[in-house]
Amino acid sequence: MKTSAKFISFEGGEGAGKTTQIHLLEKALKAVGISVLVTREPGGTVGAELLRNILQHHKEAHWDAISQLLILYAGRHDHVEKVIKPALARNIWVLCDRFADSSMVYQGYAQGLGVEFVKTIHEAVLHNFQPDLTFFFDIPPERGLKRLRERYESSPESQKYDCFEDQNLEFHRKIYQGFKALSHNNKRFVNIQADLPLDQVSPQIFRALSERFHLTL
Ligand code: T5A
């Protein structure tokens, strides 16, 4: 019997390699006949993409952490109700580049709102809707930021303004610690050693999914 569709999220610091691996996994799943939807947060619907734009490209707004969190949850609610749940209901797997764990870590842990506070909002807005599995891309922040620098240097047109990429290293170290703490002893998470060449990262993901959901990738 075919496994029912799963909701998989990909988390980690900046430049961890999530987007790259999501596209490789999408191909691998499609090759074994599984329907897949790739999406991202912030974003994923027309409204949530507008909110992403407001958060990332309008620095002049100076949103504080609570305002950011509420904007993120407005988008997340829209995304879950209009895209994620309907896809799962049609037996389409959902691969999501970041989800609520990013809010726990960026707004809750690194920006000081507290993880428990973010959990309360998550419970109130989404009734604790969670991914079936979350990959944490474990890579020291210095290495992830180096990858982004190299990307910008090799193709300046890829340069984008991002909420947090220009924060100091201390902030990115906090993000890393936050994900480590959140994923520790949590069965929903699979830790991916992401500071390796591409062809050594994908097999870790394929193996974990195959074991967890009885697939052959
Ligand atoms: N945010 C988000 C919050 O604060 N709260 C929230 O609730 C949510 C959902 C999103 C920002 O919003 C914040 C977090 C972020 O700051 P974004 O642009 O979506 O911004 O940022 P990221 O998700 O961090 O995306 P990045 O593109 O920065 O990183 P990825 O997707 O992890 O990495 P990827 O695949 O684009 O790779 C980066 C570079 O490294 C190379 C790639 O070719 C690319 O050039 N690369 C590798 N190089 C060597 N070896 C490998 N194994 C490699 N894998 C990839």
Side-chain angles (χ1 to χ4, degrees):
M1 206 177 71
K2 229 175 165 180
T3 312
S4 61
K6 304 297 176 200
F7 173 30
I8 317 286
S9 64
F10 296 73
E11 298 282 3
E14 321 284 316
K18 303 179 307 303
T19 312
T20 307
Q21 292 299 329
I22 286 172
H23 289 293
L24 294 172
L25 178 59
E26 177 189 18
K27 268 194 200 156
L29 288 170
K30 285 183 173 167
V32 296
I34 290 176
S35 306
V36 186
L37 174 86
V38 171
T39 186
R40 68 173 182 181
E41 288 208 353
T45 62
V46 173
E49 289 291 334
L50 288 170
L51 295 174
R52 176 187 176 100
N53 186 277
I54 286 174
L55 281 171
Q56 294 197 334
H57 298 282
H58 292 278
K59 219 177 177 181
E60 72 277 13
H62 298 294
W63 302 109
D64 65 14
I66 290 195
S67 305
Q68 283 180 30
L69 185 71
L70 296 176
I71 293 169
L72 286 161
Y73 266 90
R76 185 161 296 138
H77 182 262
D78 201 49
H79 189 206
V80 167
E81 294 303 326
K82 291 183 181 160
V83 171
I84 298 176
K85 284 185 177 172
L88 295 172
R90 291 169 55 214
N91 209 29
I92 298 170
W93 288 52
V94 177
L95 308 183
C96 193
D97 200 338
R98 298 190 181 278
F99 189 63
D101 297 310
S102 282
S103 298
M104 305 288 161
V105 170
Y106 280 80
Q107 283 67 47
Y109 189 80
Q111 292 187 278
L113 290 183
V115 172
E116 289 309 313
F117 179 76
V118 181
K119 280 186 182 164
T120 304
I121 300 285
H122 190 77
E123 173 69 42
V125 175
L126 290 178
H127 311 294
N128 214 21
F129 177 77
Q130 293 286 4
D132 296 293
L133 186 147
T134 298
F135 288 112
F136 162 47
F137 279 51
D138 188 337
I139 178 172
E142 296 84 348
R143 302 280 304 156
L145 293 171
K146 182 167 177 277
R147 285 180 181 173
L148 292 184
R149 260 197 315 278
E150 285 167 0
R151 177 169 72 189
Y152 296 155
E153 279 162 14
S154 67
S155 63
E157 70 281 1
S158 78
Q159 194 139 12
K160 57 181 181 175
Y161 175 73
D162 191 273
C163 314
F164 297 115
E165 278 167 17
D166 61 348
Q167 289 275 351
N168 62 32
L169 187 57
E170 211 39 55
F171 179 83
H172 293 286
R173 288 196 175 125
K174 257 189 156 170
I175 297 296
Y176 182 60
Q177 285 162 8
F179 278 118
K180 283 273 208 199
L182 199 65
S183 58
H184 185 66
N185 280 341
N186 183 333
K187 288 201 170 89
R188 175 164 59 82
F189 282 87
V190 172
N191 192 312
I192 297 298
Q193 220 187 317
D195 192 11
L196 290 173
L198 281 186
D199 61 355
Q200 292 177 36
V201 178
S202 329
Q204 300 177 53
I205 295 172
F206 296 175
R207 196 165 48 241
L209 267 194
S210 300
E211 282 171 12
R212 187 78 66 109
F213 301 124
H214 312 292
L215 305 170
T216 312
L217 293 180

